[in-house]
Amino acid sequence: PEQVDVKYALPSAQSYLGYTVGNQLSLVGGFWGQYWTQGPNASQYAALDQYVYNSTEADRPWSALYAGTLKDLDFIYKAGQTDVTKKNYAAIARILQAYTYQVITDAWGDVPFTESLQGDKQLVSPRFDNQEAVYDGILAAIDEGLAMLDDAQPTPHSDDLIFNGDLFLWYEFANTLKLKVLLRQSDIRPSVAQTGIAEMFANGELFLEQDAKLFYNDVRFQQSPLYTTANALGTSSNIFASATLVDYMAGTNDERLADYFDANGGGQIVGLAQGSGKLLGGNQTDDTWSRPTEQIIGATAATTLISVAESDFLQAEAIARGWGSGDDEAAYYAGIEASWANWAGASAGDVATFEAGTGVVYPTGGTQQDKLTAIFTQKWVAMGGNQNFEGWTEWRRTGIPTFSPSATSVLGGNSFPARLVYPTDEVTSNVNFPGIKTVSEKMWWDVN
């Protein structure tokens, strides 16, 4: 249809975003963030354990984010420029555009930004902006979206699948996103990050206190995207618990472990060493190792865009760096507790005992690096299975915790994947394509 009401375009954009973040990008982050690994009796994701990602695999998530999410959001944003009654739809669209562009640039690096979404103007070979410029544009888009939020104008309701039209939650979401964007630049542009964060804290800005999630129903065509993909493959022998995550959580007596992974045939939660599944040989029994639970990969498992736990850990980092005011220790524990509250088993457990345990208790008398290491480690744990792509992205930025390469890595040495390769469609069709990148080439902000 040539004429579409924004109330139909918004859930379309959000659904595209949830499908991509919660499916293809979740799989990449799950394996490269060492939350999951390939089982020995199947091979659907063996290439990911090898750190192989070819350009044809990138076609679908790239197209879904640009032609699906961003184009719908662009339509909504433009509608709000001429119709004040659609102003809040446009504000939400602008904020979600900023979120989506950050996902895209954190996946691929230099990407079309200033010349993107203009195929209707016959601009079918947009130039690629460098990542620094994209990040500047993202910050500008967030500020624009924040300025457009207007309680005096109509708001979405059930057509907003994330916050049901609650503008205050969108204001908190935008602030949290801005904090994340600034902290992502902590090592490459510390002065920019510090200035922006200090201003936010000085202004008393509020951050997210409700998870930004897309929910699903156990009804055909309404189920979790990753669950749908797993069912289509017809095998449960692909995704298993990585020993990297299992061993760490077991070592700290983390009760979330039973929420993340089911027990094996012997009643224990056992991880498989990263990438080792295809090296075992012979007839292996899948029940030797643990798989993700229904809470993680079931029909109604939600897609999380930003969590309260992430918001708290971001604030803890900003304060620990001296760029924001407040109590970094309190924010750190708030992040752990927000994560625990999301899980059926852990929420009934003893979080206070966990927080006081060795390796978890906040190092109040330690160095700044000691504090950051604690924050980054618990953020990585909190994102296991539910924010895989973000967990892997934060690991790329921080290098914490320490990983060993996959046993089947083709990169050699102590190398890890640092990006997705560009899609085939862009390589073959865009005359402004900047050139092939390999998975081991680091992002602009990745200086560790």
Side-chain angles (χ1 to χ4, degrees), residues 34 54 178-179 283 315 337 384 387:
Q34 299 207 7
N54 64 56
K178 185 175 182 178
L179 181 60
N283 294 320
Q315 293 171 68
E337 290 159 19
Q387 286 186 272

Side-chain angles (χ1 to χ4, degrees), residues 154-234:
T155 63
H157 294 288
S158 59
D159 45 325
D160 172 10
L161 304 180
I162 299 171
F163 289 135
N164 202 39
D166 189 322
L167 297 187
F168 184 74
L169 289 175
W170 279 112
Y171 154 74
E172 290 186 335
F173 178 94
N175 282 334
T176 308
L177 176 61
K178 185 175 182 178
L179 181 60
K180 181 175 77 167
V181 172
L182 288 167
L183 282 172
R184 190 78 90 232
Q185 304 173 72
S186 59
D187 292 324
I188 189 66
R189 291 202 299 185
S191 61
V192 171
Q194 180 176 2
T195 300
I197 291 168
E199 182 179 358
M200 293 185 76
F201 277 81
N203 291 338
E205 301 292 6
L206 300 176
F207 302 101
L208 203 58
E209 296 181 353
Q210 178 178 313
D211 289 348
K213 290 183 174 180
L214 286 153
F215 294 94
Y216 304 96
N217 301 310
D218 193 5
V219 177
R220 192 181 182 193
F221 304 127
Q222 297 181 25
Q223 295 162 327
S224 162
L226 190 54
Y227 171 85
T228 304
T229 297
N231 272 8
L233 294 173

